[in-house]
Amino acid sequence: MRLPSTAHTSRPWRIHEITGDFRVEDVWALPTPGGPDDLAHLVRQFANAGGDTAPPSSPVFRGLIALRWKLGKLFGWDAPRTGIGSRVRTLRDRLPADLREGPRGPDRRSGPFRSLYQAHDEWAAELANRTVHAVLHIGWVPDEAGGYRGQMAVLVKPNGLLGTAYMAAIKPFRYLLVYPEMLRTMGRQWRADAGRRSAG
């Protein structure tokens, strides 16, 4: 379920300390019900997304992702010179000392996101390319059933007119295809992993 930006901005997340020049692009409730200490399980699942144990995604979803990477290669959107440490500095340079010295969290097994920090109730990762500098934030929040669930926010700083145009062009695809498929896959994986944790 898509949420208003205030679902992210109203919470006292530590990510606010380093992303004042970013805008909130998307906020979604995640189908990951659990207990108060289960964020670490969600972070591990997200970091391993696309691995051998991930549920299969639809051909349309896989096709869109493949097309994005082909276009990126064609136009040089994802070249190393456009990324973290080249075009932009890592947000780890902005972290307060306690977060910089604490757990960093895992990098994603597949994909360009690199972990910034992990706390008890939030995890953040960043990517940069020619179009955007983006932050993926996963928080752990109380749900309506008296338990907890994940909440995902995407924060962006578009790179000039190209980045602004790119974000506008992909918006319909994100809402109609990418996010719904991603959330379905995430929910299936979460239920499967919860079953294995219970059995163990």
Side-chain angles (χ1 to χ4, degrees):
M1 179 175 65
R2 190 178 173 207
L3 300 173
S5 295
T6 53
H8 174 78
T9 58
S10 64
R11 294 188 178 275
W13 302 123
R14 302 297 304 275
I15 194 66
H16 301 320
E17 299 173 35
I18 64 170
T19 54
D21 51 344
F22 285 65
R23 73 170 190 244
V24 179
E25 185 72 15
D26 297 306
V27 184
W28 293 82
L30 302 181
T32 56
D37 302 319
D38 282 345
L39 174 69
H41 296 301
L42 180 56
V43 170
R44 282 195 294 273
Q45 175 182 313
F46 200 90
N48 290 325
D52 296 336
T53 62
S57 55
S58 73
V60 173
F61 180 80
R62 293 196 303 270
L64 279 173
I65 299 301
L67 176 61
R68 163 58 184 87
W69 292 121
K70 286 180 181 178
L71 289 174
K73 185 174 182 180
L74 177 65
F75 294 109
W77 292 343
D78 307 306
R81 67 181 181 278
T82 70
I84 302 293
S86 297
R87 186 178 71 79
V88 298
R89 295 178 61 179
T90 175
L91 292 175
R92 279 190 63 83
D93 293 344
R94 301 184 185 182
L95 289 177
D98 64 317
L99 290 180
R100 192 167 54 250
E101 295 166 4
R104 182 170 180 164
D107 290 333
R108 288 202 65 184
R109 178 173 176 172
S110 63
F113 278 99
R114 295 295 173 258
S115 188
L116 288 167
Y117 68 88
Q118 184 173 343
H120 179 259
D121 61 350
E122 59 180 303
W123 170 68
E126 68 177 335
L127 73 78
N129 55 37
R130 190 179 173 195
T131 64
V132 73
H133 188 183
V135 173
L136 173 71
H137 182 267
I138 304 292
W140 198 243
V141 300
D143 65 16
E144 299 77 10
Y148 292 78
R149 61 163 171 77
Q151 179 173 295
M152 180 180 72
V154 177
L155 298 85
V156 300
K157 185 196 288 189
N159 184 22
L161 291 176
L162 171 64
T164 300
Y166 173 81
M167 293 302 298
I170 68 171
K171 190 171 186 175
F173 299 99
R174 292 200 323 267
Y175 289 163
L176 294 175
L177 296 170
V178 175
Y179 283 130
E181 177 65 21
M182 184 182 72
L183 295 179
R184 283 192 293 270
T185 300
M186 184 179 292
R188 289 195 300 268
Q189 183 69 60
W190 182 260
R191 292 190 295 273
D193 288 350
R196 284 193 288 269
R197 292 196 298 270
S198 298

